[in-house]
Amino acid sequence: MMRIMFGAVLGLLAAYPALLAVVTTVVVTLASHTPVLAFAAGVILWPRITRTVRGWAR
């Protein structure tokens, strides 16, 4: 799903370079909020966390 969204954003930026300012503004706004960063880190690190916890059970 993320690949599709990333590809769509890249396609839009290639088709409409003026959207770069809009996309940059949205990304900076979202990244400046701590809960959003914590959520993103959790989503990205979830597979590693689950493997580590499973390793503890052995």
Side-chain angles (χ1 to χ4, degrees):
M1 184 64 169
M2 287 299 292
R3 290 180 188 175
I4 293 171
M5 289 174 39
F6 185 70
V9 169
L10 285 180
L12 283 174
L13 290 178
Y16 301 103
L19 286 178
L20 180 60
V22 174
V23 171
T24 304
T25 303
V26 169
V27 168
V28 168
T29 302
L30 290 176
S32 65
H33 296 294
T34 306
V36 174
L37 289 176
F39 175 76
V43 167
I44 291 169
L45 295 175
W46 185 252
R48 178 174 286 183
I49 293 169
T50 56
R51 280 194 305 267
T52 302
V53 171
R54 284 184 195 149
W56 294 342
R58 292 183 197 176

